[in-house]
Amino acid sequence: MAGGASALAIMALGVLLLAAPSECARAFFVFGDSLVDNGNNNYLMTTARADSPPYGIDYPTHQATGRFSNGLNIPDIISEQIGAEPTLPYLSPELHGAKLLVGANFASAGVGILNDTGIQFVNIVRVSRQLHYFGEYQGKLRALVGASQATQIVNRALVLITLGGNDFVNNYYLIPFSLRSRQFSLPDYVRYLIFEYKKILMRLYDMGARRVLVTGTGPLGCAPAELALRSRDGECDRDLMRAAELFNPQLSQALEELNARYGDGTFIAANSFRVHFDFISDPAAYGFRTAKEACCGQGPHNGVGLCTAVSRLCANRDQYVFWDSYHPTERANRIIVSQFMTGSLDYVSPLNLSTALHIDASLMD
């Protein structure tokens, strides 16, 4: 009996040693929509899925993973930049044991700031549920490494959250005379979104997040889906562009207010509109052939419907800004992340991600 107890104690110590992160380790947590979902919707009964070819055609395994990309998405590339392995979807059965130390991706395609956004997709992980899962995750982490160490891992983590686009394209402007467009003028709707988004971000802080990268919306009216649906001359749709132009400055202001409350640099504003619009307005300057046509799709601008095995597929994904009707190619994602990492205050404020990570690393020494 004594020998058996000793063996069990040694095994338990081994698990703890495996679980204990190094001083420089940093977990990564992801919340949001299809721009950052890496496979949670694969485990749900929903049409908002990217689990069949040609999605993933340029992913290392050349298989569809649930990422809305031909290859890596934004969280994957951020993980590369911080020297970590990609986070697993929270719903993945592989997320247990030492894998919990890497972090988790809670994002779900189709969601928005509001719970009624994306109702046509039925079974998606809305943000309130993503935050609930974050609480569940922390319980699993405490069971693995203890309460004190779990708190430290969460506090030291990098958090990415991407929300807002679907609240326009899959809610306010989803159909003519939508419920929300009859309830709110566009300026009032944007103010309502910002009010609700601030509550989400405050909840993240209350749950332990201390370094949060918050992306604004891109130039929504320039997506191939919107060019196909709403543009007669190939120019970006004015209504959706106005929505983004109202939303993003107010989000930046909200983040400044939160930083005044919680500490400068707690929330980092990433100007997705500026980053995207740079290569949408001048694709050739970034080595792209087009920003008006999706690589995979059908119809005008290749922007109608889903990307499927029977869609028109471009031969060289690196020449395209958009992979499908809404989502960037891996190459475009890499440009976006590079600006988040090292860009000027025009792209990311109050400091870029590389500076923030350097500061954090020095505080851990």
Side-chain angles (χ1 to χ4, degrees):
M1 292 290 290
S6 298
L8 287 172
I10 291 169
M11 288 173 63
L13 177 61
V15 170
L16 287 174
L17 288 173
L18 175 66
S22 68
E23 285 300 306
C24 62
R26 176 186 290 271
F28 183 31
F29 303 115
V30 182
F31 301 85
D33 56 28
S34 58
L35 290 168
V36 293
D37 182 0
N38 69 346
N40 280 307
N41 282 19
N42 288 1
Y43 302 95
L44 304 173
M45 293 296 292
T46 178
T47 56
R49 294 167 67 138
D51 59 345
S52 60
Y55 285 99
I57 189 172
D58 299 310
Y59 192 74
T61 61
H62 304 293
Q63 294 180 338
T65 62
R67 293 163 172 83
F68 285 76
S69 173
N70 59 303
L72 302 184
N73 65 6
I74 287 171
D76 294 324
I77 299 164
I78 291 177
S79 291
E80 282 185 353
Q81 293 289 324
I82 65 175
E85 61 183 274
T87 55
L88 288 172
Y90 181 71
L91 298 181
S92 169
E94 298 177 19
L95 185 64
H96 58 81
K99 289 287 187 184
L100 292 167
L101 303 175
V102 178
N105 187 315
F106 303 92
S108 178
V111 305
I113 296 165
L114 305 182
N115 279 334
D116 58 296
T117 291
I119 56 173
Q120 70 271 32
F121 302 125
V122 187
N123 190 17
I124 52 181
V125 186
R126 304 191 186 283
V127 174
S128 56
R129 176 58 60 172
Q130 292 183 31
L131 295 175
H132 173 79
Y133 284 155
F134 189 34
E136 275 190 1
Y137 162 89
Q138 292 188 42
K140 296 175 184 178
L141 190 62
R142 286 191 293 271
L144 182 69
V145 299
S148 176
Q149 189 68 40
T151 298
Q152 187 178 74
I153 289 170
V154 172
N155 289 165
R156 289 180 172 180
L158 175 64
V159 177
L160 169 67
I161 184 165
T162 296
L163 289 170
N166 281 326
D167 293 288
F168 297 106
V169 300
N170 281 311
N171 193 330
Y172 194 86
Y173 288 111
L174 177 62
I175 56 173
F177 310 108
S178 68
L179 178 62
R180 288 297 190 184
S181 68
R182 286 183 280 122
Q183 181 182 12
F184 292 105
S185 68
L186 181 61
D188 287 343
Y189 183 65
V190 169
R191 282 190 285 271
Y192 177 54
L193 289 179
I194 297 299
F195 177 77
E196 293 297 319
Y197 205 173
K198 281 184 74 173
K199 291 195 291 187
I200 293 166
L201 297 174
M202 291 165 68
R203 178 67 179 138
L204 268 178
Y205 184 88
D206 290 343
M207 297 182 77
R210 295 295 181 268
R211 186 69 84 183
V212 185
L213 181 66
V214 184
T215 70
T217 68
L220 301 171
C222 302
E226 300 305 331
L227 295 181
L229 180 66
R230 304 169 64 88
S231 175
R232 292 174 181 262
D233 56 5
E235 296 302 312
C236 302
D237 177 70
R238 292 180 180 179
D239 289 339
L240 283 165
M241 295 299 279
R242 180 167 177 253
E245 289 162 0
L246 287 172
F247 178 84
N248 289 318
Q250 291 185 47
L251 177 60
S252 294
Q253 177 63 38
L255 297 181
E256 289 178 14
E257 294 167 2
L258 291 173
N259 282 336
R261 177 174 179 172
Y262 296 125
D264 197 34
T266 301
F267 294 96
I268 299 173
N271 190 339
S272 296
F273 187 98
R274 173 71 181 271
V275 179
H276 280 79
F277 201 69
D278 279 353
F279 49 72
I280 285 173
S281 59
D282 189 4
Y286 294 84
F288 295 111
R289 186 175 68 80
T290 180
K292 292 184 181 293
E293 303 283 329
C295 169
C296 182
Q298 45 276 315
H301 302 280
N302 241 14
V304 177
L306 299 172
C307 171
T308 70
V310 297
S311 297
R312 291 198 306 266
L313 178 66
C314 70
N316 186 348
R317 273 73 69 183
D318 286 348
Q319 294 181 347
Y320 286 72
V321 170
F322 287 98
W323 158 246
D324 64 10
S325 57
Y326 279 110
H327 305 96
T329 57
E330 177 181 328
R331 183 162 177 270
N333 281 331
R334 289 191 176 278
I335 295 172
I336 293 165
V337 172
S338 71
Q339 292 288 19
F340 293 170
M341 294 298 299
T342 61
S344 69
L345 292 176
D346 291 332
Y347 294 96
V348 57
S349 64
L351 72 176
N352 63 40
L353 202 50
S354 291
T355 303
L357 298 180
H358 178 75
I359 292 170
D360 294 346
S362 67
L363 294 175
M364 292 179 193
D365 291 339

